[in-house]
Amino acid sequence: MGVEQDRLRDYLTGPRLDHALFAPGFVAEVGAAKLTGIRDRIRKEFGGLGSIRPDEAAGTYRVDCPRGVLRAEIAVDEQGLISRLWLEPQLDDRPRSVGQRVKALLQLAVLMLATLGVPLIAVGSALVDSRILMLPGLLISLAMLVVLWLSAPWCWASQYLRAVFAAVVLGALVLAMTRLPGLPTGHLLWTYLGGPVFAGWAAVSTLSGRREAPAERTPLLIANPLPGSRVLVGQGGGKSVNHHAAHPTQRYALDLLCLGRLGARARGLAPRRLTAYRAYGAVVAAPCEATVVLAVDGHADQPVLANPFEPGALQPQPAYGNHLILRTAADEEVVLILAHLRVGSLLVAEGERVTVGQPLAEVGNSGNTTEPHLHLHAEARTADTVTPVPLRLATRPARELRRGRRLDR
């Protein structure tokens, strides 16, 4: 496999497309523009080549890039020239670095402190004795209300708490407006402006980043894949509310959670037991008319990772774990991936046609996942490229599926 690995590296790293790397007629058959475009896209969207490692069992290569992972299929002829080449993006299953884990922990800590602190700032600002002291605090509170309403993980405690949070902040604003006319102006200090400016920037960034990036393909219309559950979009939308948005082929991916009667996604903040999570064992139903093109089972559930300092997936598994790939009836180029399914729960086989609402499997915690949830995304696969496809509910096709929205209503 050494020659194949060398040729793949030469193709991805050379200053220009080298026709001498390919078997006679290969470039003419595939097209020099297409080969150049694939390489340029990898450099632009994935950050270039990091390393190439063989997967001898599968007869393929794993290509690690700074911003993603690719699977490469390559063959060479007797002269060592490339006679077949296929590159396909994969879910990035690399363990997070210490820096990434620290960043995740700090983000969570900031969100928790802000969630507790913003109502206190709002109420305190409403009770001060001058306009100059009141207004900065109110502006900070309103801006942070926008940020936290859209991005905070409310479902850790209760998704319904964000309504209570908003009511406190807006109630403080009403109280402030009733007191404002009778207050003295006070003296402005430039130091009062730092907080409102920073909070305003955070609100604008969150609002501008919540929308999905423009799509090359029309959205795939689906039904709720977790019927019978209270289904929350945990990851979905643009870069400020969806960690998948930076992945080239999963730009519109969704992570779906299930909520209990009180709006929490589990019994406890970060329980270790898989069965404590409402999504675990939930029935996954076909979201559209389709044909099963791949059904992978047999991978055990991963343990729950309760904090970002724990290592990544503890059992070596495919990033999707147990998963299904469905070729949609609406567009044969479009496939829908349903990932992290429970071992032994798959009810369909490759080649089987499925109808909307037909039970397919159960939610598990297999693959590259930290807690039970259903991952799904759609891709349009052609001979030379994989293009992400947005998802929309067939009942509300104009509404983006962003973090915090419900699929069951």
Side-chain angles (χ1 to χ4, degrees):
M1 300 179 80
V3 176
E4 296 173 350
Q5 195 167 345
D6 290 341
R7 292 294 176 267
L8 182 59
R9 180 178 291 106
D10 292 341
Y11 166 64
L12 294 175
T13 60
R16 62 183 63 86
L17 183 66
D18 185 356
H19 291 220
L21 295 173
F22 301 92
F26 184 89
V27 175
E29 179 182 353
V30 177
K34 184 179 295 185
L35 289 169
T36 301
I38 292 172
R39 190 184 64 161
D40 290 346
R41 181 183 177 191
I42 291 171
R43 292 181 175 183
K44 178 181 178 181
E45 297 188 1
F46 289 80
L49 175 64
S51 64
I52 301 174
R53 291 181 287 164
D55 182 350
E56 296 184 1
T60 61
Y61 290 90
R62 176 191 171 100
V63 181
D64 288 304
C65 304
R67 294 195 293 271
V69 177
L70 299 158
R71 180 176 66 88
E73 296 181 15
I74 183 172
V76 298
D77 61 15
E78 294 178 354
Q79 286 72 43
L81 303 178
I82 299 173
S83 58
R84 181 169 61 86
L85 178 64
W86 175 261
L87 290 160
E88 182 179 25
Q90 299 290 293
L91 191 64
D92 194 344
D93 60 352
R94 293 172 294 188
R96 292 179 295 176
S97 66
V98 173
Q100 289 172 321
R101 293 172 188 167
V102 170
K103 181 180 178 182
L105 185 64
L106 289 175
Q107 289 174 334
L108 180 59
V110 168
L111 279 172
M112 292 180 67
L113 290 173
T115 303
L116 294 172
V118 168
L120 296 177
I121 293 173
V123 174
S125 299
L127 298 176
V128 296
D129 56 2
S130 78
R131 297 177 185 177
I132 292 300
L133 290 175
M134 178 183 288
L135 292 177
L138 293 178
L139 290 173
I140 291 172
S141 301
L142 287 173
M144 293 308 297
L145 171 60
V146 171
V147 173
L148 295 172
W149 178 272
L150 295 175
S151 61
W154 297 99
C155 63
W156 278 46
S158 171
Q159 190 66 16
Y160 306 130
L161 280 179
R162 70 175 185 169
V164 177
F165 173 84
V168 172
V169 174
L170 295 177
L173 177 64
V174 171
L175 174 61
M177 292 300 100
T178 61
R179 297 187 65 235
L180 192 63
L183 294 178
T185 300
H187 300 286
L188 175 65
L189 298 177
W190 293 111
T191 53
Y192 294 168
L193 300 180
V197 169
F198 175 79
W201 169 82
V204 171
S205 297
T206 302
L207 284 169
S208 62
R210 81 192 193 286
R211 294 188 61 84
E212 294 175 345
E216 299 177 32
R217 307 281 298 225
T218 57
L220 173 65
L221 300 182
I222 61 171
N224 177 9
L226 297 172
S229 299
R230 299 179 180 92
V231 185
L232 179 76
V233 178
Q235 298 290 333
K239 60 185 179 181
S240 67
V241 288
N242 187 3
H243 66 230
H244 298 295
H247 193 287
T249 60
Q250 296 183 37
R251 192 169 298 141
Y252 312 113
L254 304 176
D255 284 348
L256 302 182
L257 307 171
C258 295
L259 302 178
R261 185 169 52 86
L262 299 179
R265 99 282 191 224
R267 300 176 188 88
L269 289 179
R272 296 283 187 179
R273 291 181 298 107
L274 290 170
T275 53
Y277 291 83
R278 305 289 183 178
Y280 189 73
V283 174
V284 179
C288 59
E289 305 284 336
T291 301
V292 180
V293 296
L294 184 65
V296 176
D297 200 352
H299 299 290
D301 289 312
Q302 299 280 18
V304 174
L305 303 186
N307 71 72
F309 285 99
E310 294 186 71
L314 301 182
Q315 305 171 42
Q317 295 181 356
Y320 294 142
N322 305 313
H323 64 281
L324 293 168
I325 299 182
L326 310 178
R327 186 172 303 282
T328 63
D331 187 339
E332 291 190 352
E333 288 186 348
V334 176
V335 298
L336 185 65
I337 295 93
L338 304 167
H340 312 316
L341 304 176
R342 187 176 183 180
V343 63
S345 71
L346 274 64
L347 301 174
V348 292
E350 295 175 15
E352 186 173 339
R353 291 187 62 84
V354 298
T355 58
V356 175
Q358 178 180 338
L360 303 177
E362 295 177 3
V363 176
N365 200 49
S366 59
N368 184 28
T369 172
T370 58
E371 68 176 62
H373 70 281
L374 176 65
H375 169 101
L376 72 160
H377 73 273
E379 303 172 350
R381 296 181 175 180
T382 60
D384 61 322
T385 188
V386 178
T387 304
V389 177
L391 297 170
R392 297 285 188 274
L393 282 179
T395 54
R396 303 186 70 175
R399 187 179 74 156
E400 285 188 11
L401 300 179
R402 302 175 192 155
R403 180 190 295 181
R405 287 185 168 168
R406 296 274 293 271
L407 264 64
D408 57 307
R409 62 186 188 190

